[in-house]
Amino acid sequence: MENSDRTWFEFGLDSSKQIMGAGWIHVANLLCAVLFAGRLPGVDGCTWYAANIIVDTTAGVAVEWCLLRGLHHLLIGLRCVATAKLLDSGSYRDSSGAFRPLAYVTQMVVWLSIVTCMKVGMVGLMKTVPVIVLLVNSALSSLEDTPKIKLVVVMIFVPLMMNTFQFVLTDGFIKKRKRADPLADGLIAKE
């Protein structure tokens, strides 16, 4: 693990949020693949699944970061300091160092809500700008004659590479960090 103040316990909690989010997105991606297969000429479910993963793990990560940061700034702006502190991603202990299960559960619910909002947005993006799906279809076209190989590429290799990329990026912003926002520091310190 990297050199930080984060304990293995906290790393496990942070990772569990990502794993739950990834599981939820996997189900949503499978559903999208089934629902949208054939809606674009020559585009099958495998292509939709691959397109969903690629979009979710790139643009989707940026959307998740914006939603998480935006929620924090909104709470600080509304002077909902206790809620902002409870939702401070990766922070699971009170000032005395005791584990706060409510903080973890609340952060998990918020994270799954953020992931859901991201997914809805990315589906909307792909439906509005189908060229994204068509580009993925074009990239996979060389595998059309070998559907079993295409399935392995789409269900194993693409998710392995893209989810690894996503987990590393997301870990950077869901783990506890030192505050650099003086306004937030001031509001949280006054509680």
Side-chain angles (χ1 to χ4, degrees):
M1 192 165 63
E2 79 248 14
N3 184 14
S4 75
D5 294 335
R6 181 164 61 166
T7 66
W8 281 103
F9 180 67
E10 291 165 336
F11 176 77
L13 295 174
D14 290 343
S15 297
S16 71
K17 290 191 293 190
Q18 287 205 64
I19 290 167
M20 290 293 290
W24 168 231
I25 290 300
H26 175 69
V27 170
N29 287 345
L30 289 172
L31 184 62
C32 288
V34 170
L35 291 175
F36 301 139
R39 299 251 176 131
L40 290 174
V43 178
D44 63 9
C46 278
T47 298
W48 273 103
Y49 186 80
N52 271 278
I53 289 175
I54 292 166
V55 170
D56 291 347
T57 57
T58 53
V61 171
V63 168
E64 291 168 344
W65 180 83
C66 288
L67 290 171
L68 189 63
R69 296 304 305 143
L71 176 61
H72 178 78
H73 287 296
L74 176 67
L75 292 170
I76 294 300
L78 294 173
R79 306 237 185 269
C80 299
V81 178
T83 305
K85 194 170 183 179
L86 180 70
L87 294 178
D88 191 20
S89 190
S91 182
Y92 310 109
R93 299 186 183 279
D94 63 18
S95 58
S96 67
F99 175 62
R100 297 179 302 157
L102 179 62
Y104 169 72
V105 170
T106 306
Q107 288 177 38
M108 175 69 81
V109 169
V110 167
W111 180 248
L112 292 176
S113 299
I114 285 172
V115 167
T116 301
C117 290
M118 175 279 295
K119 184 70 224 168
V120 169
M122 295 304 99
V123 168
L125 175 68
M126 287 184 288
K127 294 293 282 175
T128 305
V129 187
V131 70
I132 297 167
V133 179
L134 295 172
L135 286 171
V136 173
N137 193 52
S138 177
L140 294 171
S141 65
S142 64
L143 301 173
E144 284 303 317
D145 295 333
T146 53
K148 289 183 181 179
I149 293 174
K150 182 178 180 181
L151 187 64
V152 168
V153 167
V154 168
M155 295 301 290
I156 305 294
F157 293 118
V158 170
L160 184 63
M161 289 185 309
M162 298 307 295
N163 285 335
T164 299
F165 174 71
Q166 176 189 22
F167 288 153
V168 169
L169 287 179
T170 304
D171 185 61
F173 65 82
I174 67 167
K175 67 182 178 181
K176 180 173 64 178
R177 57 191 160 63
K178 293 184 171 50
R179 287 268 167 239
D181 184 349
L183 175 62
D185 287 341
L187 288 175
I188 291 174
K190 290 178 184 177
E191 181 181 30

